[in-house]
Amino acid sequence: MTARFIDREADRQALDVLRAERSAHAPQVLVVSGLAGVGKTTFAAHWLQEHADSFPDGQLYADLGGQSPLAEGGPVSPGAVLEGFLIALGASSVPAGTAQRSALWRSTTSGLRLAVLLDSAFTAAQVRPLLLGTPTGLTVVTSRNNLTGLRVEGASVHRLEGLPAASAVELLAVGGGTRVAREPAAAREVVRLCGRLPLAVALASAQLALRPHRSVSALADSLARGRGAVDTLRVDGEAVMRTALDMSYDVLPGGSRALYRRMGLLPADRHDLSLLTALADDGEEPGQEGADTEEAADIAVSALVESNLLEETAPGTYRFHDLVQPHARRLGEELEDAGRRERTLRRFVDWCLATAASAEGILTPSHRLAGHDPAPGTAPATPLDGPEEALTWLDTHRNALMGAVRLSARLGWDFSCWRLTDLMWPLFLRLRPSEMWIEAHLLGLEAARRSGSRPGEARMLTSGAIGLRNAGRYREAADWYRQALQTAAADGDVRQQAQALSGLGHVGLLAHRLDEARDHFEQALRLRESIGYRRGAALSRRRLGETALAAGDLATAAEQLRRAGTELDALGETYEATRVLALLGHVLDRGGDPDGGVRRLGEALARFRAGEARSEHWEARCLEWLGQAAETRGDQEESTRHYEAARALLRRLSPEDAQRLDDRLRQR
């Protein structure tokens, strides 16, 4: 096995399965597609070599030239390939026309147990005349395109991805030697920056071999700067990855090239079809949006997917390969003029605002800030069908949303910056990405103050303080809440005063200053009741219930939680009502009603796992409380199962809480 051919066991097995599933009466065609540098040719050749015994009549190979620049003659004609094949098989004379050569090829190979590797095919039309006409043979085709047209010939397509991370590190060590083992984190970063593509990793490995005193960390830093691995990794001075991607780009239709460039400008790792439709319309011809633009976008996207420059990760959702993104960005920066670049970025931010507003309306309608809705018609929002789909969209696009917040802050789009942060509230509330929560609100608060928006400043202070509080930064959280209280008092905004007081109470509760917490919550309750804010009053009762729980007053805790739950249910506040249900279940279990407590915890757990109340954070809390209930009953097996399930969730959501459960499980 060559140094560059490492692993690929899952891919070999996949081709074995496709071969085994073939019809005994039809010729078999296997297409191995993938991005430039993913190792298609090497993989296909090794796989055929492993199965050489199945083809006693031999193997034929032809480079179809699909990777050759058009200026150098482009793809090889089928007629030329057929001539070479027929001569290799001993034909005494070769007809002049491609159709006649194809017919002779099929008759000559009839009944032969022959394998043919057609490397670097450009189109399905180029391949069709070269296909065997016998079920005893096998044709394997490699291409940067998916060659969808060959499916009508019965072809099976296997898309080759980058190497598994561990295998890519192994390949890096071929040239890097012991340096790779000494710097495992840097090695993982290098292969990530190389997109785990064998060609890119092999080039990085070669750089380490050529410079034996260079650290892996230094290579990682070099790849992370500037144009990245696409331009940095070179052979004889040529940036081979960039050249390969340039050729893939050059043969795209014009609409696909334009979309590719504009997508590259965006700080996003996922792209919805609705966003791509907005990008496909360059905004220069008003009134041209609609069905025509949607169709043009769909055609442009299809060509990018067909060429493996874009991958569909879910229905209507797409992503660039890690190495393709910087290439697309470079072309966007070089080929799109300043005006179009700004229009592209504006449409992206508008799409984020429109779809985030839709998600907010579905998941947290009470959070809506009246009078601040996105302007209609600025960008088509992604359609969201219900709470689960809305939360999935927020989760999928969290990096794009944060990218839009940073972009807006950098470009001085202050309203968009703080408003998008505000619209991301259900993302922060349900998924709790602490670092993103805090960063977005720091940027949003500065933007709101620059723009002179008092409502924006108030929102950023109160919801940002929650992020600080959840991260354990209690002193900073309390400071933000006090600023919010002062702002609300100056504006005579009773509702925001209550919100700030409630936040101060929660900080006191977490710090176990229970008298202080109770005073703040009771003040907030009185203010909310004075203005008829039923939802807010119910949430204050929930906090009073939590305070009583912390004080060991379980009867008061249960009474406050029952009142809060009844009111929230009546208001249709499913998520908040489910949180109260979980707390009540925990209180009842601790207060001598384990059956009632476990039943309520189980009901809350089911709601948190799917639907309108979905929340992994609260799912983990329910699992931990169910584990405690089982432990109290003496059921060690069930308690361990619940604790381990909670720990699995918390490892991603809250490493500190996961560590606490680790310690608990070790002590048992």
Side-chain angles (χ1 to χ4, degrees), residues 105-165:
W105 164 248
R106 293 188 178 227
S107 63
T108 301
T109 58
S110 179
L112 293 181
R113 296 172 65 188
L114 181 72
V116 178
L117 176 55
L118 303 176
D119 191 25
S120 190
F122 188 60
T123 64
Q126 184 192 23
V127 171
R128 284 195 187 94
L130 307 175
L131 297 179
L132 295 167
T134 176
T136 58
L138 172 66
T139 303
V140 178
V141 187
T142 72
S143 179
R144 293 179 185 176
N145 299 321
N146 288 320
L147 300 183
T148 306
L150 286 183
R151 290 185 182 272
V152 300
E153 312 290 338
S156 300
V157 179
H158 176 69
R159 189 174 188 273
L160 208 59
E161 305 285 354
L163 289 169

Side-chain angles (χ1 to χ4, degrees), residues 210-491:
L210 287 170
R211 301 175 65 177
H213 300 293
R214 191 184 197 191
S215 69
V216 182
S217 298
L219 176 59
D221 291 342
S222 175
L223 295 178
R225 292 194 302 269
R227 301 293 187 183
V230 170
D231 283 302
T232 303
L233 299 173
R234 295 171 177 263
V235 175
D236 296 331
E238 180 186 0
V240 291
M241 283 303 305
R242 186 183 70 192
T243 300
L245 290 172
D246 281 346
M247 288 190 289
S248 294
Y249 167 82
D250 287 341
V251 299
L252 290 170
S256 297
R257 290 200 300 271
L259 184 59
Y260 180 79
R261 297 191 302 267
R262 294 168 195 169
M263 291 173 67
L265 295 170
L266 307 183
D269 58 354
R270 292 293 188 277
H271 304 81
D272 283 359
L273 189 57
S274 59
L275 169 62
L276 302 184
T277 299
L279 298 184
D281 172 32
D282 63 14
E284 292 184 337
E285 297 184 33
Q288 296 300 309
E289 296 184 17
D292 290 345
T293 302
E294 291 175 9
E295 183 179 1
D298 191 55
I299 292 171
V301 168
S302 295
L304 290 170
V305 172
E306 175 70 18
S307 64
N308 283 303
L309 293 172
L310 199 62
E311 176 188 1
E312 187 172 24
T313 59
T317 304
Y318 305 88
R319 69 176 291 272
F320 278 134
H321 186 278
D322 290 343
L323 278 188
V324 174
Q325 174 79 45
H327 179 262
R329 183 174 62 249
R330 176 178 65 84
L331 291 179
E333 292 170 349
E334 292 177 356
L335 301 179
E336 297 285 308
D337 62 48
R340 185 163 289 169
R341 288 199 300 271
E342 182 173 351
R343 284 197 301 274
T344 295
L345 296 175
R346 183 71 260 178
R347 281 177 174 250
F348 166 64
V349 172
D350 286 345
W351 168 77
C352 289
L353 286 163
T355 313
S358 176
E360 181 198 46
I362 293 170
L363 292 166
T364 54
S366 60
H367 186 261
R368 178 177 174 270
L369 186 60
H372 290 77
D373 293 333
T378 52
T382 295
L384 302 175
D385 185 15
E388 192 154 4
E389 193 168 300
L391 191 58
T392 298
W393 182 87
L394 289 170
D395 194 8
T396 300
H397 295 280
R398 61 167 74 187
N399 292 332
L401 292 166
M402 190 62 224
V405 170
R406 295 187 186 110
L407 175 70
S408 297
R410 177 169 58 85
L411 296 179
W413 297 346
D414 291 330
F415 174 80
S416 296
C417 180
W418 76 257
R419 186 67 185 113
L420 182 55
T421 299
D422 188 46
L423 289 170
M424 290 165 65
W425 171 246
L427 164 65
F428 300 134
L429 179 66
R430 303 288 185 92
L431 303 177
R432 302 199 173 219
S434 295
E435 292 182 6
M436 181 185 295
W437 192 332
I438 294 169
E439 181 189 358
H441 283 82
L442 285 168
L443 294 173
L445 179 59
E446 292 176 0
R449 285 173 170 167
R450 281 195 304 268
S451 66
S453 172
R454 300 286 282 184
E457 182 179 356
R459 286 293 191 114
M460 294 300 96
L461 284 168
T462 51
S463 54
I466 297 172
L468 290 165
R469 182 195 70 202
N470 289 346
R473 295 162 61 171
Y474 298 150
R475 183 175 298 176
E476 293 170 85
D479 179 59
W480 279 44
Y481 280 130
R482 291 189 191 99
Q483 291 183 57
L485 184 59
Q486 291 172 1
T487 300
D491 293 344

